[in-house]
């Protein structure tokens, strides 16, 4: 990955020097181990800040939609999932293709620092070194080596497009093939086999810890509404408390809003301070859209999203003839 | 002030005794992280923790609470206040930073003419038994904010882990009285006291160096309008409320009514200065329309407005906001940048 990091820096620098872009949105080293943080580089001489490693898990597409970048030519570092989110934004008319230079990274899967930290507590990681297949951790009174593949983020294990389907340049030129064991579809099948009551219990238990901080919404590259339905006050659509009915209302409506759009990047789950895993819900919705409309989000900026368009071939058995 | 020793194997007995007369809240592990929850048996407790993910403030100041209910009757509107005298409670194993946060919350909820009865009622009947930090995180900065990993502020009793035993110290009359009721305690010796002091030295030496934050409030005031200064931090903020909702000293709330045609309730719930809706006026004007202003507010409130109004910094240095931020916004970077300006 170090080799790719260097190529990425050179490419980004070139784009800045040639004034093809006004700024590069990428990742730099974070302030605590196993973390990177978004960074915004405008000067070619600052390019060495940019890093590329298995901790680059933020979805940077999020930033492109902010008003300050509206008229700027932006170069953005993207993984497969981020590129797909970008494509959805383009298909939905939020981002102009010509304003963005997409620097694609073949993604080997990001590591799950939250799980590592949680398993280690009360030990705290002070230094982390990551090699091709291992994670070496050091703390006050311990040293430990983990196998990287055992700590890949769940959303990366179930990823179907780790290489950006659309980009201006693929760093390194070589797509990476992933082969992780993933049990998301198995878990989904288990959930589907349950009775409605049991499924309801699953949803309410899963979401009962939600504190309504909206980190899931704000981290989501596709939750870009200028005014979210939960923030509308005239009228107020949804109760604001942490009563389970209010929580369910928020999460269910948000799930509907990302149906056929979600690229399963896992940003929501990663951002959640309460470790709520929304992936079974999002996977189910994407499966429905795939089954019914043969559509997967984020692959082609010229194809409008199925929920935002209509064709005569759309399945419509729910429309019944009046008797 | 009494100083005692408790062999570790006696701790379950202490908890059992407490459980006989008090509702006991203590750190427990849930969904892969630690929170303060009510325990019913001593074995539920998980003391081998760094700090809880959610601060214990919600024991006194819940995320959602009913303030009063109202019903319409032919005689008018009948209002029932929802203040219930709380049972006697103990919070066991709380970290000194979080105990200190309660002293700030106490000030906030009794500021000016009005005392907040909802908070006060829960707070009054609660004893705080702290557990000193012998293993502070690298993100902890309590010592920069006049705190200490062995800090006593806000606590009634402090436990210090000396390996095979606890050094137990009562810090006020309430603490003294409680210690008298607890079994298995023996008087602390001079050597125990020495060991505790040595341990504190060792812990302090292991901590991330102090960040100089003197004159921080005047510096911040001068920088209020410096857009470039604030943009370097707010640029990457995604505007969620993790930092404020998981902050032990954040107290902002919203009040909403939930009603039907004949009855309803008024509810208080956590709110946050990080949401645009927090300051949106009825007219549609928003005095803090961008995340730059909202991030600035979070910093100014804790490090400038708090010192001005309450003569204390509104932060206890627990570092939760650093750990929990989805984009690794680190408040210490703000302090560093302040030093450089």
């Amino acid at each position: 990955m170090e080799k790719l990091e260097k190529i990425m820096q050179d490419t980004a620098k070139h784009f800045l020097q040639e004034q093809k872009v006004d700024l590069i949105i990428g990742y730099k080293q974070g302030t605590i181990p196993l973390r990177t943080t978004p960074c915004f580089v405008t000067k070619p001489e600052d390019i060495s800040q940019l890093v590329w490693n298995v901790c680059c898990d933020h979805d940077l597409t999020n930033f492109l939609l902010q008003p300050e970048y509206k008229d700027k030519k932006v170069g953005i570092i993207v993984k497969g999932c981020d590129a797909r989110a970008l494509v959805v934004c383009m298909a939905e008319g939020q981002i102009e293709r010509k304003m963005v230079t997409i620097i694609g990274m073949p993604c080997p899967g990001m590591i799950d620092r939250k799980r590592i930290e949680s398993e280690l507590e009360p030990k705290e990681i002070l230094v982390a070194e990551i090699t091709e297949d291992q994670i070496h951790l050091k703390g006050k009174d311990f040293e430990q080596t983990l196998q990287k593949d055992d700590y890949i983020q769940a959303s990366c294990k179930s990823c179907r497009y780790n290489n950006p389907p659309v980009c201006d340049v693929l760093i390194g030129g070589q797509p990476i093939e992933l082969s992780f064991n993933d049990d998301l579809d198995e878990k989904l099948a288990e959930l589907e086999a349950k009775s409605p009551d049991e499924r309801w219990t699953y949803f309410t238990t899963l979401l009962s810890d939600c504190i309504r901080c909206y980190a899931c919404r704000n981290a989501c590259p596709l939750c870009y509404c200028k005014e979210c339905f939960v923030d509308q006050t005239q009228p107020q659509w949804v109760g604001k408390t942490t009563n389970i009915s209010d929580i369910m209302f928020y999460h269910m409506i948000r799930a509907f809003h990302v149906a056929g759009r979600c690229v399963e990047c896992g940003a929501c789950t990663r951002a959640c301070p309460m470790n709520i895993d929304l992936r079974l819900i999002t996977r189910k919705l994407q499966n429905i859209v795939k089954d019914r409309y043969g559509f997967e989000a984020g692959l082609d900026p010229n194809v409008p999203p199925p929920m935002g368009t209509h064709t005569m071939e759309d399945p419509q058995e729910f429309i019944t003839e009046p008797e | 002030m009494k100083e005692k020793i408790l062999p570790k194997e006696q701790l379950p007995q202490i908890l059992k005794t407490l459980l006989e007369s008090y509702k006991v809240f203590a750190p427990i592990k849930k969904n892969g992280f630690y929170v303060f929850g009510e325990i019913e048996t001593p074995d539920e407790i998980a003391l081998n923790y760094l700090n809880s993910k959610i601060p214990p403030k919600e024991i006194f100041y819940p995320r959602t609470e009913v303030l009063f209910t109202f019903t319409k009757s032919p005689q008018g509107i009948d209002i029932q206040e929802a203040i219930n005298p709380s049972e006697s409670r103990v919070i066991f194993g709380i970290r000194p930073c979080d105990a200190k946060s309660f002293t700030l919350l106490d000030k906030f909820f009794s500021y000016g003419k009005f005392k907040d009865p909802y908070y006060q009622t829960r707070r009054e009947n609660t004893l705080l038994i702290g557990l000193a930090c012998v293993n502070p995180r690298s993100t902890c900065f309590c010592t920069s904010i006049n705190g200490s990993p062995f800090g006593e502020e806000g606590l009634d009793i402090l436990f210090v882990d000396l390996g095979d035993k606890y050094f137990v110290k009562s810090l006020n009359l309430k603490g003294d009285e409680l210690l008298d009721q607890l079994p298995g305690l023996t008087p602390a010796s001079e050597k125990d006291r020495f060991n505790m002091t040595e341990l504190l030295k060792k812990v302090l030496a292991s901590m991330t160096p102090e960040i100089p934050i003197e004159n921080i409030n005047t510096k911040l005031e001068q920088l209020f309008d410096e857009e470039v200064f604030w943009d370097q931090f707010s640029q990457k903020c995604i505007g969620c409320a993790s930092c404020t909702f998981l902050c032990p000293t954040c107290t902002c709330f919203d009040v909403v009514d939930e009603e039907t045609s004949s009855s309803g309730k008024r509810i208080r719930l956590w709110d946050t200065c990080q949401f645009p809706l927090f300051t949106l006026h009825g007219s549609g004007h928003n005095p803090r329309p961008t995340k730059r202003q909202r991030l600035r507010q979070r910093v100014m409130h804790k490090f400038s407005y708090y010192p001005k109004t309450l003569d204390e910094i509104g932060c206890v240095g627990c570092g939760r906001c650093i750990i929990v931020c989805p984009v690794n916004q680190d408040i210490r970077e703000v302090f560093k940048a302040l030093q450089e300006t």
Side-chain angles (χ1 to χ4, degrees):
Chain A
M1 285 186 99
E2 280 158 34
K3 227 165 93 187
L4 289 187
E5 181 179 276
K6 180 78 178 67
I7 305 173
M8 175 192 76
Q9 288 176 352
D10 292 344
T11 312
K13 193 173 182 176
H14 175 75
F15 287 149
L16 277 174
Q17 279 165 340
E18 300 291 310
Q19 291 173 358
K20 188 172 159 61
V21 299
D22 301 318
L23 86 156
I24 298 279
I25 307 182
Y27 305 92
K28 70 174 180 183
Q29 198 55 52
T31 61
I32 31 185
L34 301 179
R35 301 215 63 176
T36 61
T37 186
C39 98
F40 306 80
V41 183
T42 50
K43 295 184 202 129
E45 61 267 29
D46 292 338
I47 213 74
S48 60
Q49 289 183 359
L50 288 183
V51 298
W52 172 244
N53 56 45
V54 285
C55 304
C56 294
D57 57 6
H58 315 291
D59 196 330
L60 303 172
T61 314
N62 218 330
F63 296 107
L64 272 184
L65 294 156
Q66 291 179 1
E68 54 263 49
Y69 306 120
K70 195 95 196 142
D71 304 313
K72 291 236 165 73
K73 288 180 293 172
V74 182
I76 183 165
I77 311 291
V78 293
K79 306 178 290 294
C81 50
D82 313 332
R84 289 180 65 200
L86 195 53
V87 167
V88 175
C89 291
M90 287 171 185
E92 293 176 354
Q94 298 301 313
I95 294 173
E96 264 189 280
R97 180 70 184 88
K98 65 171 199 278
M99 297 301 280
V100 191
T101 300
I102 307 170
I103 304 171
M105 305 303 296
C107 175
M110 295 290 128
I111 57 164
D112 189 344
R113 64 166 173 93
K114 283 168 120 183
R115 188 155 67 86
I116 298 176
E117 285 165 358
S118 156
E119 285 183 12
L120 282 176
E121 188 168 359
K123 289 183 278 188
E124 190 199 12
I125 306 160
L126 297 177
V127 185
E129 279 168 44
I130 300 165
T131 61
E132 209 51 40
D133 45 18
Q134 289 185 322
I135 309 165
H136 303 287
L137 304 170
K138 277 185 211 160
K140 262 175 209 158
D141 300 308
F142 82 100
E143 259 186 62
Q144 198 163 336
T145 300
L146 307 174
Q147 296 306 313
K148 204 175 81 182
D149 280 3
D150 296 342
Y151 287 91
I152 294 292
Q153 288 188 14
S155 57
C156 300
K157 283 189 178 172
S158 51
C159 172
R160 295 184 273 215
Y161 298 95
N162 61 310
N163 299 293
V166 174
C167 62
D168 291 294
V169 48
L170 181 69
I171 297 298
Q174 291 293 323
I176 294 180
E177 233 174 90
L178 295 186
S179 55
F180 295 118
N181 291 326
D182 171 46
D183 58 358
L184 185 63
D185 287 321
E186 228 168 87
K187 279 188 185 154
L188 184 56
E190 275 169 33
L191 180 65
E192 286 168 338
K194 288 184 172 165
S195 70
D197 280 349
E198 287 169 327
R199 289 204 296 268
W200 186 249
T201 307
Y202 167 78
F203 291 131
T204 47
T205 314
L206 173 77
L207 297 169
S208 61
D209 273 338
C210 174
I211 54 172
R212 305 285 297 267
C213 70
Y214 301 134
C216 48
R217 174 195 70 181
N218 287 29
C220 176
L222 298 170
C223 266
Y224 55 65
C225 287
K226 287 214 168 60
E227 190 182 22
C228 177
F229 70 99
V230 297
D231 292 331
Q232 283 173 330
T233 51
Q234 292 174 333
Q236 185 181 315
W237 299 106
V238 43
K240 298 174 71 120
T241 74
T242 43
N243 179 306
I244 191 66
S245 68
D246 288 343
I247 292 175
M248 291 296 282
F249 197 114
Y250 160 59
H251 282 282
M252 290 301 132
I253 299 296
R254 184 175 168 271
F256 289 159
H257 284 185
V258 295
R261 305 173 61 235
C262 171
V263 296
E264 299 181 80
C265 67
C268 48
T269 297
R270 247 186 330 265
C272 178
M274 306 301 285
N275 294 1
I276 297 171
D277 187 346
L278 297 171
R279 291 175 317 116
L280 279 182
I281 300 175
T282 49
R283 172 58 62 96
K284 175 65 184 172
L285 286 168
Q286 302 345 303
N287 283 355
I288 295 172
V289 173
K290 200 176 174 189
D291 289 347
R292 298 182 69 85
Y293 303 100
F295 179 85
E296 276 188 278
L299 301 180
D300 185 343
N302 301 310
V303 179
M307 296 296 128
T309 185
H310 174 73
T311 69
M312 293 312 284
E313 290 75 40
D314 282 351
Q316 50 187 26
E317 75 281 356
F318 55 89
I319 301 175
T320 50
E321 289 293 324
E323 283 178 22
Chain B
M1 276 236 294
K2 296 179 179 174
E3 292 177 333
K4 304 274 183 184
I5 287 294
L6 179 77
K8 269 196 179 166
E9 64 272 14
Q10 298 278 345
L11 183 66
Q13 206 46 51
I14 294 262
L15 291 168
K16 248 186 223 159
T17 312
L18 288 173
L19 282 161
E20 280 163 19
S21 335
Y22 300 93
K23 242 188 186 189
V24 178
F25 292 81
I28 51 173
K29 197 165 189 181
K30 197 183 155 198
N31 296 347
F33 53 81
Y34 294 87
V35 291
F36 275 82
E38 194 187 335
I39 59 163
E40 271 157 21
T41 57
D43 52 357
E44 288 170 61
I45 196 167
L47 284 184
N48 198 10
Y49 80 127
L50 293 169
N51 202 355
S52 66
K53 185 152 197 176
I54 323 283
K57 76 174 174 189
E58 65 177 335
I59 298 171
F60 301 135
Y61 171 44
R63 295 170 212 177
T64 298
E65 73 179 313
V66 176
L67 300 179
F68 57 82
T69 54
F70 45 93
T71 35
K72 207 157 96 180
S73 69
Q75 286 74 41
I77 291 179
D78 182 27
I79 294 176
Q80 290 104 27
E81 272 198 334
I83 306 172
N84 304 312
S86 94
E87 55 289 273
S88 300
R89 304 196 277 191
V90 164
I91 304 181
F92 188 90
I94 186 174
R95 294 296 183 197
C97 55
D98 287 337
K100 189 181 170 193
S101 80
F102 291 149
T103 64
L104 288 160
L105 260 55
D106 291 347
K107 285 188 180 177
F108 172 81
F109 283 110
S110 64
Y111 186 72
K113 263 198 298 188
F114 302 100
K115 315 279 175 233
D116 187 292
Y118 304 93
Y119 174 88
Q120 301 276 351
T121 321
R122 294 194 192 94
R123 178 76 169 98
E124 266 162 19
N125 284 331
T126 309
L127 285 159
L128 298 185
I129 304 181
L131 180 64
C133 263
V134 291
N135 196 10
R137 279 190 161 114
S138 63
T139 42
C140 291
F141 56 100
C142 61
T143 48
S144 303
I145 321 249
N146 311 320
S148 159
F150 285 32
E152 298 172 354
E153 248 182 293
L155 288 171
D156 300 299
I157 294 173
L158 176 69
F159 274 55
V160 182
D161 185 341
L162 293 181
D164 56 347
K165 56 188 170 187
Y166 291 108
F167 190 95
V168 182
K169 194 172 172 187
S170 63
L171 303 162
N172 54 30
L173 207 62
K174 276 198 291 179
D176 286 348
E177 281 168 12
L178 183 58
L179 275 197
D180 288 342
Q181 298 164 25
L182 297 177
L185 295 160
T186 53
S189 68
E190 203 49 54
K191 184 156 184 283
D192 295 323
R193 210 165 289 130
F194 174 79
N195 287 344
M196 189 190 68
T197 326
E198 287 302 300
L199 181 64
L200 174 60
K201 277 187 207 158
K202 203 177 120 198
V203 172
L204 285 173
S206 77
M207 286 186 75
T208 312
E210 275 183 42
I211 312 157
I213 53 166
E214 62 270 10
N215 302 328
I216 189 169
N217 52 339
T218 34
K219 269 195 176 165
L220 282 170
E221 260 175 50
Q222 287 158 6
L223 284 164
F224 189 85
D225 289 319
E226 296 291 330
E227 295 187 356
V228 181
F229 179 82
W230 297 106
D231 278 346
Q232 61 180 318
F233 307 107
S234 67
Q235 200 172 24
K236 67 179 177 188
C237 175
I238 57 169
C240 74
S242 317
C243 52
T244 50
F245 278 6
L246 298 193
C247 171
T249 69
C250 272
T251 46
C252 287
F253 54 79
D254 191 7
V255 175
V256 294
D257 285 351
E258 280 187 359
E259 57 207 344
T260 62
S261 58
S262 59
S263 68
K265 47 193 174 186
R266 179 154 295 177
I267 299 168
R268 168 159 80 182
L269 36 108
W270 290 359
D271 203 352
T272 167
C273 56
Q274 298 308 295
F275 291 159
L277 195 61
F278 185 71
T279 44
L280 183 65
H281 294 183
S283 66
H285 170 67
N286 194 340
R288 285 184 214 139
T290 69
K291 54 186 186 172
R292 175 203 304 136
Q293 290 138 330
R294 297 193 285 270
L295 179 131
R296 180 181 68 191
Q297 169 62 23
R298 177 164 81 91
V299 177
M300 294 295 289
H301 193 179
K302 294 189 185 305
F303 298 95
S304 176
Y305 310 149
Y306 248 102
K308 263 201 210 161
T309 51
L310 295 173
D311 205 24
E312 238 183 300
I313 288 175
C315 165
V316 291
C318 71
R320 282 190 182 87
C321 56
I322 304 169
I323 298 166
V324 84
C325 176
V327 292
N328 188 215
Q329 186 80 258
D330 191 330
I331 187 91
R332 295 170 302 175
E333 299 286 300
V334 180
F335 305 146
K336 272 188 213 156
L338 278 173
Q339 289 309 310
E340 286 155 17
T341 47

